[in-house]
Amino acid sequence: PPATALEFAGAVESGASLALWARRAAGVDGTAWALLRRVPLDRRPEADAEGWAELEPRVREERLRRRRRILSRIEGDSVSATVWLWRLGDALLLAGPNEAYSLLQRELRRRLHPHPVLVGNIVNGPYLGYLPDQAAFERGGDTYQVWQSPFARGSLERLIDGAAEAIEGGPD
């Protein structure tokens, strides 16, 4: 139930040790805040189409058309990844407009333990593309998520660092 916690109250031997738990009153964390952060990420160069010369012309042109359309929404050599962050009691929420690999939520949960972390992808803004992890780039650029992405290698990891720092710092 709300505002309660379980505490170990002993064990019962029944072929195996079984734990007994007792409820006790627990304080409720009333912390609540919201943050908006922009994490600078590097843009992938438009010419980064290694290995595409071997593709059928129709496939190559379609890939280039999609990449150009996405890159046309970005000015300069960097792009800011916008993230919305909330703390509601013990729970932490993060939302962003792009599609980050699951490393984002796994790493935030590891770093921010014991807080529960909920991540929402493709929300609150203009979608630019996937945020693949380093391993995806190392496996090769022919997966859709890698060749489609306007973000340079290492961008997901920079987003993780930026989000964790913002959460740990809380509201300014």
Side-chain angles (χ1 to χ4, degrees), residues 5 25 43 45 50 52-53 57 79 84 91-92 100-101 106 108 115 119 128 130 133 137 148 155 157 159 161 164 166:
R43 172 187 156 162
E50 64 230 29
W52 289 11
V79 60
W84 287 260
L92 302 167
Y101 270 35
R106 291 191 330 261
L108 288 176
H115 296 281
V119 173
L128 291 176
Y130 285 93
D133 58 19
F137 280 96
Q148 177 277 345
S155 291
E157 291 77 7
L159 178 64
D161 291 342

Side-chain angles (χ1 to χ4, degrees), residues 50 101-103 106 131-147 153 156-157:
E50 64 230 29
Y101 270 35
S102 64
L103 176 66
R106 291 191 330 261
L131 276 157
D133 58 19
Q134 289 274 11
F137 280 96
E138 290 166 10
R139 283 191 299 271
D142 202 34
T143 62
Y144 177 77
Q145 295 87 344
V146 172
W147 69 254
R153 177 188 305 248
L156 175 59
E157 291 77 7

Side-chain angles (χ1 to χ4, degrees), residues 5-14 16-23:
L6 296 176
E7 96 184 352
F8 181 70
V12 173
E13 295 300 325
S14 176
S17 296
L18 302 175
L20 294 174
W21 297 94
R23 288 189 180 133

